[in-house]
């Protein structure tokens, strides 16, 4: 007697791998090719335009210029899998998308509301900046937190929130350096970021339809910004026309001996990651 074990997508360790291989075989047979930049992104090009399905576990976005081929792909997937078509993209993995005649807006307003509810702040105050200007946090500031679990949870949520909020990229990078041993001072600055988000909850990224395809890149560096190891901080942002498409804050791997050297390393980071 042979018994067939039915388990959910999350039930077995090899289930995600088997599911992705099955999905990839179906879309590949439909004419798609995997992207060299992201294995979960597939590309199909035709004279009528380009079609892009993006997979995250069992959630998927299909977009492109060829509406007829998009309908064909959805029909093919419906034949192979039990799936639900939710219509135009509005909400995906905590990211809200709204479209107008001028372009698209991307935000995480509901995600911020849920984050503030989980943080259970004791007051309703807001602040103008996410971090105090010219204040450099160190590992020895304050007393160690008796239970750092809350700090870990909030910082992890802020890391995901930075996907649509480049204005908190710098403080989140700084606060992430102390997750191994957070202190009361680190936690107070974390609450400051949350108060800033409360006052700027409606801020969104805008991607205009009429934007040009001219690429503009900006980089900067803070020389010896970390007082504990004297390493500098690199940051950059990339615009495609009027749309902000990429940004990053990262500590440099070596100690720069001058501000000029720190700036050059910041430009090198930008050149390496953008190209």
């Amino acid at each position: 007697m042979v018994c067939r074990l039915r388990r959910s997508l999350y039930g077995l360790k090899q289930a995600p791998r088997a599911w992705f291989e099955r999905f990839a075989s179906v879309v590949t047979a439909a004419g798609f090719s995997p992207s060299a930049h992201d294995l979960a992104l597939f590309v199909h090009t035709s004279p009528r335009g380009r079609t892009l399905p993006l997979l995250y576990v069992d959630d998927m976005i299909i977009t492109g210029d060829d509406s007829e081929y998009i309908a064909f792909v959805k029909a093919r997937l419906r034949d192979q899998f039990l799936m639900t078509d939710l219509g135009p993209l509005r909400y995906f993995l905590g990211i809200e998308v709204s479209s107008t005649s001028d372009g698209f807006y991307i935000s995480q307003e509901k995600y911020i509301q849920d984050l503030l509810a989980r943080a259970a702040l004791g007051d309703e105050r807001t602040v103008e900046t996410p971090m105090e200007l010219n204040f450099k946090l160190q590992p020895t500031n304050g007393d160690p937190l008796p239970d750092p679990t809350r700090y870990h949870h909030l910082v992890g949520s802020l890391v995901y929130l930075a996907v649509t909020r480049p204005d908190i990229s710098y403080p989140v990078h700084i606060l992430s350096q102390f997750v191994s041993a957070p202190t009361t001072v680190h936690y107070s600055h974390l609450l400051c970021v949350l108060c800033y988000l409360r006052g700027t909850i409606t801020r969104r990224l805008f991607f205009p339809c009429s934007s040009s395809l001219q690429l503009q890149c900006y980089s900067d560096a803070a020389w010896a910004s970390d007082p504990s190891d004297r390493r500098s901080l690199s940051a950059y942002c990339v615009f495609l026309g009027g749309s902000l498409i990429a940004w990053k804050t990262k500590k440099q791997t070596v100690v720069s001996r001058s501000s000029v050297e720190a700036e050059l390393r910041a430009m090198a980071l930008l050149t390496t990651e953008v190209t």
Side-chain angles (χ1 to χ4, degrees), residues 86-128:
L86 300 179
L89 179 62
R90 294 184 177 88
Y91 192 81
F92 185 75
L93 302 178
I95 299 176
E96 301 171 55
V97 181
S98 59
S99 60
T100 65
S101 58
D102 298 327
F104 292 88
Y105 290 92
I106 296 181
S107 66
Q108 289 176 281
E109 183 174 342
K110 184 178 183 303
Y111 186 84
I112 297 176
Q113 293 175 347
D114 295 340
L115 176 59
L116 294 176
R118 293 196 303 268
L121 301 181
D123 52 37
E124 296 295 327
R125 68 185 181 94
T126 60
V127 294
E128 296 294 329

